[in-house]
Amino acid sequence: MAGMFNDLSSPAAFLSTRRSGKPRDMVAPGPGPDQLRAILSAAMRVPDHGKLAPWRFVVIDDRDSFAVLLQNAFRAQRGAPDTEDVRAIDQFARQSPTLVAVLSTPVEPSKIPLWEQQLSSGAICMNLVAAAAAHGFVAGWLTGWAAYDPHVLKALGGGGNDRIAGFIFIGSPGRELEERPRPVYDEVVHHWP
Ligand SMILES: Cc1cc2nc3c(=O)[nH]c(=O)nc-3n(C[C@H](O)[C@H](O)[C@H](O)COP(=O)(O)O)c2cc1C
């Protein structure tokens, strides 16, 4: 049903109807430069114990270069890709109008446990997905092998204990969004004691 998802009529309605988009289905327009700045600025308002800002956004502007990076990283780790691998890598790299890699960049040493800093990077990914939808776009959070590849991490500016928390694809939905199965409330929510 059109209009069922990402209802922007109120904050509560939005959160109750928020839905990611499928990056492979995304089409133009994506956010313009000012909109992207607003989306990323909103996403940064995220719980962050110790105010360490243990995350970075890398806006991947050049998709041709990103596709080459992924092809080379795949080759270095796994050997020559077959035709299907090449096609899948290219599809991944080029889908959706806008792509932001989110890096978890923990500050070490720190009083704040590494786990908490990594949780904050998960939270910022989610906040970015929500902020994009709040601006009228759809977003999708993907990882895949590239998120675990050391060559890709290094090329995006990561080092040390940094990790790629996700690739957040942003655009407009090229197909109607569909619901996905959701957890059963009573299986997930318990009251204590
Ligand atoms: C860390 C992380 C990595 C993910 N990676 C992928 C992925 O590589 N491929 C995929 O199809 N979905 C992946 N997902 C799932 C989708 O982002 C998401 O769960 C789905 O689109 C649900 O949409 P919703 O926000 O409407 O619930 C990942 C989710 C998380 C949290």
Side-chain angles (χ1 to χ4, degrees):
M1 247 194 303
M4 182 178 165
F5 299 108
N6 297 327
D7 175 354
L8 298 179
S9 62
S10 74
F14 170 61
L15 290 174
S16 304
T17 59
R18 191 204 54 77
R19 182 74 176 94
S20 294
K22 281 203 181 94
R24 65 171 60 243
D25 293 338
M26 288 179 195
V27 295
D34 291 349
Q35 285 172 307
L36 183 60
R37 191 179 177 91
I39 289 167
L40 296 175
S41 300
M44 284 178 224
R45 296 180 63 89
V46 73
D48 162 19
H49 192 179
K51 297 186 279 296
L52 298 174
W55 16 254
R56 291 290 179 271
F57 293 131
V58 183
V59 182
I60 299 181
D61 287 325
D62 181 344
R63 298 299 191 86
D64 290 341
S65 299
F66 187 56
V68 170
L69 167 65
L70 296 194
Q71 298 289 359
N72 289 340
F74 185 100
R75 194 175 288 276
Q77 290 288 93
R78 296 145 199 254
D82 63 25
T83 316
E84 178 53 27
D85 293 329
V86 170
R87 195 204 56 77
I89 293 165
D90 220 55
Q91 188 278 328
F92 184 89
R94 296 175 191 281
Q95 63 193 341
S96 87
T98 301
L99 171 56
V100 181
V102 180
L103 304 192
S104 162
T105 57
V107 175
E108 291 181 303
S110 167
K111 287 187 310 218
I112 310 302
L114 176 62
W115 165 237
E116 296 190 15
Q117 298 189 46
Q118 291 174 328
L119 284 173
S120 184
S121 70
I124 208 169
C125 287
M126 184 61 237
N127 230 21
L128 174 52
V129 169
H135 280 258
F137 299 97
V138 283
W141 178 357
L142 303 186
T143 47
W145 66 267
Y148 298 92
D149 187 281
H151 300 271
V152 177
L153 175 66
K154 191 164 175 234
L156 296 181
N161 269 347
D162 297 350
R163 304 189 67 159
I164 296 174
F167 296 104
I168 311 295
F169 294 89
I170 305 171
S172 301
R175 295 171 59 167
E176 218 167 271
L177 302 177
E178 291 170 4
E179 186 55 304
R180 76 198 296 252
R182 299 292 167 181
V184 176
Y185 182 93
D186 289 326
E187 287 178 5
V188 173
V189 180
H190 299 275
H191 290 258
W192 187 90

Short mmCIF file of all heavy atoms in Angstrom, two decimals, residues 5-6 17-23 92 122 125-126 129 139-145 148 164-167 178-182, ligand 1:
data_model
loop_
_atom_site.label_atom_id
_atom_site.label_comp_id
_atom_site.label_asym_id
_atom_site.label_seq_id
_atom_site.Cartn_x
_atom_site.Cartn_y
_atom_site.Cartn_z
N PHE A 5 4.39 3.45 4.49
CA PHE A 5 5.70 3.50 5.15
C PHE A 5 6.23 4.93 5.21
O PHE A 5 5.87 5.78 4.41
CB PHE A 5 6.69 2.62 4.39
CG PHE A 5 6.27 1.18 4.35
CD1 PHE A 5 5.80 0.61 3.18
CD2 PHE A 5 6.29 0.40 5.50
CE1 PHE A 5 5.39 -0.71 3.15
CE2 PHE A 5 5.89 -0.92 5.48
CZ PHE A 5 5.43 -1.48 4.30
N ASN A 6 7.13 5.14 6.20
CA ASN A 6 7.80 6.43 6.36
C ASN A 6 6.80 7.58 6.36
O ASN A 6 6.96 8.57 5.64
CB ASN A 6 8.88 6.60 5.28
CG ASN A 6 9.97 5.54 5.40
OD1 ASN A 6 10.30 5.09 6.49
ND2 ASN A 6 10.52 5.12 4.28
N THR A 17 6.34 3.57 11.33
CA THR A 17 6.16 3.12 9.94
C THR A 17 7.48 3.12 9.17
O THR A 17 7.49 2.86 7.97
CB THR A 17 5.17 4.03 9.19
OG1 THR A 17 5.69 5.37 9.21
CG2 THR A 17 3.79 4.00 9.82
N ARG A 18 8.57 3.42 9.87
CA ARG A 18 9.85 3.54 9.18
C ARG A 18 10.22 2.24 8.49
O ARG A 18 10.04 1.15 9.01
CB ARG A 18 10.96 3.92 10.18
CG ARG A 18 12.26 4.32 9.50
CD ARG A 18 13.44 4.11 10.40
NE ARG A 18 13.47 2.74 10.89
CZ ARG A 18 13.88 1.69 10.16
NH1 ARG A 18 14.28 1.84 8.90
NH2 ARG A 18 13.87 0.47 10.67
N ARG A 19 10.70 2.36 7.31
CA ARG A 19 11.07 1.18 6.52
C ARG A 19 12.30 1.53 5.70
O ARG A 19 12.37 2.62 5.11
CB ARG A 19 9.91 0.81 5.57
CG ARG A 19 10.13 -0.42 4.70
CD ARG A 19 10.01 -1.69 5.52
NE ARG A 19 10.12 -2.87 4.68
CZ ARG A 19 11.26 -3.55 4.45
NH1 ARG A 19 12.41 -3.14 4.97
NH2 ARG A 19 11.26 -4.62 3.71
N SER A 20 13.26 0.63 5.69
CA SER A 20 14.41 0.80 4.81
C SER A 20 13.99 0.59 3.36
O SER A 20 12.96 -0.05 3.08
CB SER A 20 15.49 -0.23 5.16
OG SER A 20 16.02 -0.01 6.44
N GLY A 21 14.82 1.06 2.45
CA GLY A 21 14.65 0.75 1.03
C GLY A 21 15.67 -0.30 0.63
O GLY A 21 16.68 -0.48 1.31
N LYS A 22 15.39 -0.97 -0.48
CA LYS A 22 16.38 -1.90 -1.04
C LYS A 22 17.32 -1.12 -1.93
O LYS A 22 16.89 -0.57 -2.95
CB LYS A 22 15.68 -2.97 -1.89
CG LYS A 22 15.03 -4.08 -1.12
CD LYS A 22 14.91 -5.32 -2.04
CE LYS A 22 14.23 -6.46 -1.33
NZ LYS A 22 12.81 -6.54 -1.54
N PRO A 23 18.60 -1.10 -1.60
CA PRO A 23 19.53 -0.31 -2.42
C PRO A 23 19.45 -0.64 -3.91
O PRO A 23 19.52 0.26 -4.75
CB PRO A 23 20.89 -0.68 -1.82
CG PRO A 23 20.58 -0.93 -0.37
CD PRO A 23 19.24 -1.63 -0.37
N PHE A 92 26.85 -3.78 -6.74
CA PHE A 92 26.93 -3.30 -5.36
C PHE A 92 27.50 -1.88 -5.32
O PHE A 92 26.97 -0.99 -4.65
CB PHE A 92 27.80 -4.24 -4.52
CG PHE A 92 27.87 -3.88 -3.06
CD1 PHE A 92 26.93 -4.38 -2.18
CD2 PHE A 92 28.86 -3.04 -2.57
CE1 PHE A 92 26.97 -4.04 -0.82
CE2 PHE A 92 28.91 -2.69 -1.22
CZ PHE A 92 27.96 -3.20 -0.34
N GLY A 122 26.99 1.61 15.59
CA GLY A 122 25.75 1.00 15.12
C GLY A 122 24.60 1.97 15.21
O GLY A 122 23.76 2.08 14.30
N CYS A 125 24.66 4.49 12.41
CA CYS A 125 24.16 3.94 11.14
C CYS A 125 22.64 4.00 11.12
O CYS A 125 22.02 4.42 10.12
CB CYS A 125 24.60 2.49 10.98
SG CYS A 125 26.34 2.27 10.61
N MET A 126 22.05 3.58 12.22
CA MET A 126 20.59 3.58 12.29
C MET A 126 20.04 5.00 12.20
O MET A 126 19.03 5.26 11.54
CB MET A 126 20.15 2.90 13.60
CG MET A 126 18.67 2.74 13.77
SD MET A 126 17.98 1.71 12.48
CE MET A 126 16.76 2.82 11.80
N VAL A 129 20.11 6.11 8.63
CA VAL A 129 19.00 5.53 7.87
C VAL A 129 17.71 6.30 8.17
O VAL A 129 16.95 6.67 7.25
CB VAL A 129 18.84 4.02 8.22
CG1 VAL A 129 17.53 3.46 7.67
CG2 VAL A 129 20.03 3.22 7.69
N ALA A 139 16.69 4.69 2.71
CA ALA A 139 18.08 4.29 2.93
C ALA A 139 18.11 2.82 3.27
O ALA A 139 17.12 2.25 3.74
CB ALA A 139 18.69 5.12 4.06
N GLY A 140 19.25 2.20 2.98
CA GLY A 140 19.43 0.79 3.29
C GLY A 140 20.84 0.55 3.81
O GLY A 140 21.80 1.11 3.26
N TRP A 141 20.95 -0.24 4.85
CA TRP A 141 22.21 -0.53 5.53
C TRP A 141 22.68 -1.91 5.11
O TRP A 141 22.03 -2.91 5.44
CB TRP A 141 21.96 -0.47 7.03
CG TRP A 141 23.10 -0.76 7.96
CD1 TRP A 141 24.37 -1.15 7.65
CD2 TRP A 141 23.04 -0.68 9.40
NE1 TRP A 141 25.11 -1.32 8.80
CE2 TRP A 141 24.32 -1.03 9.88
CE3 TRP A 141 22.04 -0.34 10.31
CZ2 TRP A 141 24.61 -1.07 11.25
CZ3 TRP A 141 22.34 -0.37 11.66
CH2 TRP A 141 23.61 -0.72 12.12
N LEU A 142 23.78 -1.96 4.37
CA LEU A 142 24.34 -3.23 3.93
C LEU A 142 25.78 -3.37 4.40
O LEU A 142 26.47 -2.37 4.62
CB LEU A 142 24.33 -3.35 2.40
CG LEU A 142 23.00 -3.21 1.64
CD1 LEU A 142 23.23 -3.50 0.15
CD2 LEU A 142 21.91 -4.08 2.20
N THR A 143 26.18 -4.62 4.53
CA THR A 143 27.61 -4.88 4.78
C THR A 143 28.12 -5.72 3.60
O THR A 143 28.50 -5.18 2.59
CB THR A 143 27.82 -5.60 6.12
OG1 THR A 143 26.90 -6.67 6.23
CG2 THR A 143 27.66 -4.63 7.28
N GLY A 144 28.12 -7.05 3.73
CA GLY A 144 28.70 -7.88 2.68
C GLY A 144 30.21 -7.98 2.86
O GLY A 144 30.79 -7.32 3.74
N TRP A 145 30.85 -8.78 2.01
CA TRP A 145 32.28 -9.06 2.21
C TRP A 145 33.13 -7.78 2.23
O TRP A 145 34.13 -7.71 2.95
CB TRP A 145 32.81 -10.03 1.13
CG TRP A 145 32.79 -9.45 -0.26
CD1 TRP A 145 31.80 -9.57 -1.18
CD2 TRP A 145 33.80 -8.62 -0.86
NE1 TRP A 145 32.12 -8.88 -2.32
CE2 TRP A 145 33.35 -8.29 -2.14
CE3 TRP A 145 35.04 -8.13 -0.43
CZ2 TRP A 145 34.09 -7.49 -3.01
CZ3 TRP A 145 35.78 -7.32 -1.29
CH2 TRP A 145 35.31 -7.01 -2.57
N TYR A 148 34.20 -6.20 5.41
CA TYR A 148 35.17 -6.93 6.24
C TYR A 148 36.54 -7.02 5.57
O TYR A 148 37.41 -7.73 6.06
CB TYR A 148 34.62 -8.34 6.54
CG TYR A 148 33.34 -8.24 7.32
CD1 TYR A 148 32.10 -8.22 6.67
CD2 TYR A 148 33.36 -8.12 8.71
CE1 TYR A 148 30.92 -8.08 7.38
CE2 TYR A 148 32.18 -7.98 9.43
CZ TYR A 148 30.97 -7.96 8.75
OH TYR A 148 29.81 -7.80 9.46
N ILE A 164 34.49 -1.20 9.28
CA ILE A 164 33.38 -0.64 8.50
C ILE A 164 32.09 -1.12 9.15
O ILE A 164 31.83 -2.33 9.21
CB ILE A 164 33.47 -1.08 7.03
CG1 ILE A 164 34.75 -0.50 6.39
CG2 ILE A 164 32.22 -0.61 6.25
CD1 ILE A 164 35.02 -1.00 4.97
N ALA A 165 31.32 -0.17 9.68
CA ALA A 165 30.05 -0.53 10.34
C ALA A 165 28.97 -0.81 9.30
O ALA A 165 28.04 -1.58 9.56
CB ALA A 165 29.61 0.59 11.27
N GLY A 166 29.09 -0.17 8.17
CA GLY A 166 28.09 -0.44 7.13
C GLY A 166 28.23 0.52 5.97
O GLY A 166 28.91 1.55 6.05
N PHE A 167 27.62 0.12 4.89
CA PHE A 167 27.45 1.00 3.73
C PHE A 167 25.99 1.42 3.74
O PHE A 167 25.09 0.57 3.68
CB PHE A 167 27.78 0.26 2.43
CG PHE A 167 29.21 -0.18 2.34
CD1 PHE A 167 29.57 -1.51 2.53
CD2 PHE A 167 30.21 0.74 2.07
CE1 PHE A 167 30.90 -1.92 2.44
CE2 PHE A 167 31.55 0.34 1.99
CZ PHE A 167 31.89 -0.99 2.18
N GLU A 178 7.76 -2.81 0.59
CA GLU A 178 6.91 -3.89 1.12
C GLU A 178 7.30 -4.18 2.55
O GLU A 178 8.47 -4.05 2.91
CB GLU A 178 7.11 -5.17 0.29
CG GLU A 178 6.58 -5.07 -1.12
CD GLU A 178 7.01 -6.27 -1.96
OE1 GLU A 178 7.65 -7.18 -1.42
OE2 GLU A 178 6.70 -6.25 -3.16
N GLU A 179 6.34 -4.63 3.33
CA GLU A 179 6.65 -4.96 4.71
C GLU A 179 7.51 -6.21 4.75
O GLU A 179 7.48 -7.04 3.83
CB GLU A 179 5.35 -5.16 5.52
CG GLU A 179 5.56 -5.37 7.02
CD GLU A 179 6.37 -4.29 7.75
OE1 GLU A 179 7.51 -3.99 7.35
OE2 GLU A 179 5.86 -3.76 8.75
N ARG A 180 8.31 -6.32 5.77
CA ARG A 180 9.05 -7.54 6.03
C ARG A 180 8.57 -8.11 7.35
O ARG A 180 8.00 -7.37 8.16
CB ARG A 180 10.55 -7.26 6.05
CG ARG A 180 11.03 -6.59 7.31
CD ARG A 180 12.38 -5.93 7.15
NE ARG A 180 13.44 -6.87 6.88
CZ ARG A 180 14.40 -7.22 7.75
NH1 ARG A 180 14.39 -6.73 8.98
NH2 ARG A 180 15.35 -8.05 7.41
N PRO A 181 8.75 -9.40 7.58
CA PRO A 181 8.27 -9.97 8.84
C PRO A 181 8.91 -9.26 10.03
O PRO A 181 10.09 -8.93 10.00
CB PRO A 181 8.73 -11.43 8.77
CG PRO A 181 8.97 -11.70 7.33
CD PRO A 181 9.39 -10.40 6.72
N ARG A 182 8.12 -8.99 11.02
CA ARG A 182 8.60 -8.31 12.24
C ARG A 182 8.51 -9.28 13.41
O ARG A 182 7.69 -10.19 13.41
CB ARG A 182 7.73 -7.08 12.51
CG ARG A 182 7.77 -6.03 11.41
CD ARG A 182 9.13 -5.37 11.30
NE ARG A 182 9.24 -4.60 10.05
CZ ARG A 182 10.35 -3.93 9.72
NH1 ARG A 182 11.40 -3.93 10.50
NH2 ARG A 182 10.40 -3.29 8.58
C1 LIG B 1 24.96 -4.50 10.32
C2 LIG B 1 23.93 -4.83 9.29
C3 LIG B 1 24.32 -5.31 8.06
C4 LIG B 1 23.39 -5.65 7.09
N1 LIG B 1 23.80 -6.11 5.89
C5 LIG B 1 22.90 -6.50 4.98
C6 LIG B 1 23.34 -7.02 3.74
O1 LIG B 1 24.53 -7.09 3.46
N2 LIG B 1 22.38 -7.43 2.86
C7 LIG B 1 21.04 -7.35 3.15
O2 LIG B 1 20.21 -7.75 2.34
N3 LIG B 1 20.60 -6.82 4.31
C8 LIG B 1 21.50 -6.41 5.22
N4 LIG B 1 21.08 -5.89 6.40
C9 LIG B 1 19.62 -5.80 6.65
C10 LIG B 1 18.95 -4.55 6.17
O3 LIG B 1 19.68 -3.38 6.37
C11 LIG B 1 17.69 -4.30 6.98
O4 LIG B 1 17.64 -5.18 8.05
C12 LIG B 1 16.46 -4.47 6.21
O5 LIG B 1 16.40 -3.78 5.06
C13 LIG B 1 15.30 -4.12 7.16
O6 LIG B 1 14.72 -2.94 6.91
P1 LIG B 1 13.89 -2.10 7.98
O7 LIG B 1 14.82 -0.99 8.41
O8 LIG B 1 12.72 -1.64 7.24
O9 LIG B 1 13.55 -3.00 9.13
C14 LIG B 1 22.00 -5.50 7.38
C15 LIG B 1 21.62 -4.99 8.61
C16 LIG B 1 22.56 -4.67 9.57
C17 LIG B 1 22.10 -4.14 10.90
#
